[in-house]
Amino acid sequence: DSGVTQTPKHLITATGQRVTLRCSPRSGDLSVYWYQQSLDQGLQFLIHYYNGEERAKGNILERFSAQQFPDLHSELNLSSLELGDSALYFCASSETPSETQYFGPGTRLLVL
Amino acid sequence: AQSVTQPDIHITVSEGASLELRCNYSYGATPYLFWYVQSPGQGLQLLLKYFSGDTLVQGIKGFEAEFKRSQSSFNLRKPSVHWSDAAEYFCAVALYQTGANNLFFGTGTRLTVIP
């Protein structure tokens, strides 16, 4: 158990819908990262937050957004969902941006 | 182009045999290097990491990896594989020195262990 929690574990929804994925980092970690794992793209970095502020963006679609709250938990919002958004979404956290990242168990999203 | 390459998509070994999973990177500077393991339906677990110092690093579950700067490689090894090692293994790099803190992952190597 890495200490990073993600909810829900599974999510099934329809095209065009909007979902919110939640992540709670390890105690004391200020950095939160979101990654997407899909069969065709592999593991890709989406976005990084540090102590409530966005630090970096990777291959994140405009339909996707995220935020980190004062209690340091983070949410990833996916809207206007398409079939191709079906993937496993991981959250990772680290104490500071240059420290080892520890991953949560992921949220498996299926868009029908 | 910057990349992390895991040339073996799938490897099958017998239980008790030795294992080596290959990882090569292509970056201008020496990156920080990681190996993660993903069991079926599970998240990513850190096996080991290399930041600096001794180029042979020990990790959990009996794994080790050796950083070879001249070959831009960071291969993962285990002397005797157990059936529970069957999983997908990902090599990853971080380029903290460039200000980018995210991980870049290889495509993964799936390990099958046969009795």
Side-chain angles (χ1 to χ4, degrees):
Chain A
D1 185 357
S2 66
V4 179
T5 61
Q6 289 186 249
T7 57
K9 193 168 184 177
H10 301 279
L11 200 48
I12 301 175
T13 188
T15 54
Q17 295 299 304
R18 171 189 171 96
V19 297
T20 297
L21 312 183
R22 181 188 170 102
C23 168
S24 293
R26 296 185 319 157
S27 177
D29 285 359
L30 300 179
S31 266
V32 170
Y33 305 79
W34 287 96
Y35 293 86
Q36 179 195 58
Q37 184 180 34
S38 62
L39 285 175
D40 54 345
Q41 299 290 328
L43 268 160
Q44 288 198 103
F45 165 66
L46 295 178
I47 197 164
H48 170 208
Y49 275 83
Y50 175 68
N51 203 21
E53 293 190 2
E54 182 185 302
R55 287 291 293 262
K57 276 185 173 180
N59 296 320
I60 188 166
L61 300 171
E62 285 193 10
R63 300 183 284 109
F64 295 1
S65 65
Q67 57 185 135
Q68 186 179 27
F69 295 86
D71 67 353
L72 301 177
H73 90 271
S74 177
E75 292 180 357
L76 179 66
N77 300 295
L78 315 177
S79 62
S80 302
L81 285 167
E82 302 175 359
L83 296 177
D85 298 327
S86 296
L88 191 51
Y89 291 84
F90 285 112
C91 166
S93 74
S94 64
E95 190 172 339
T96 67
S98 299
E99 296 290 331
T100 301
Q101 294 177 31
Y102 294 89
F103 283 75
T107 293
R108 186 170 295 279
L109 173 66
L110 180 58
V111 182
L112 300 176
Chain B
Q2 298 178 333
S3 66
V4 181
T5 302
Q6 293 182 248
D8 304 306
I9 296 174
H10 187 200
I11 284 183
T12 299
V13 300
S14 298
E15 191 169 13
S18 64
L19 171 70
E20 182 168 26
L21 303 182
R22 297 182 289 165
C23 173
N24 293 93
Y25 63 88
S26 174
Y27 292 93
T30 299
Y32 296 80
L33 299 156
F34 306 82
W35 276 99
Y36 285 86
V37 60
Q38 183 179 24
S39 298
Q42 302 296 315
L44 294 162
Q45 182 181 24
L46 179 69
L47 283 177
L48 45 77
K49 62 186 178 185
Y50 174 76
F51 280 16
S52 65
D54 192 346
T55 56
L56 183 63
V57 294
Q58 302 297 320
I60 62 171
K61 303 184 180 185
F63 285 93
E64 67 177 26
E66 185 172 13
F67 169 59
K68 292 185 177 180
R69 186 188 306 273
S70 61
Q71 298 177 19
S72 297
S73 70
F74 188 56
N75 293 350
L76 182 71
R77 301 194 295 247
K78 186 169 185 177
S80 177
V81 169
H82 188 262
W83 65 266
S84 62
D85 293 324
E88 185 134 23
Y89 292 80
F90 292 92
C91 179
V93 308
L95 301 172
Y96 300 138
Q97 63 270 48
T98 68
N101 302 118
N102 56 284
L103 295 172
F104 297 89
F105 285 90
T107 50
T109 297
R110 181 171 300 278
L111 174 66
T112 297
V113 180
I114 56 177

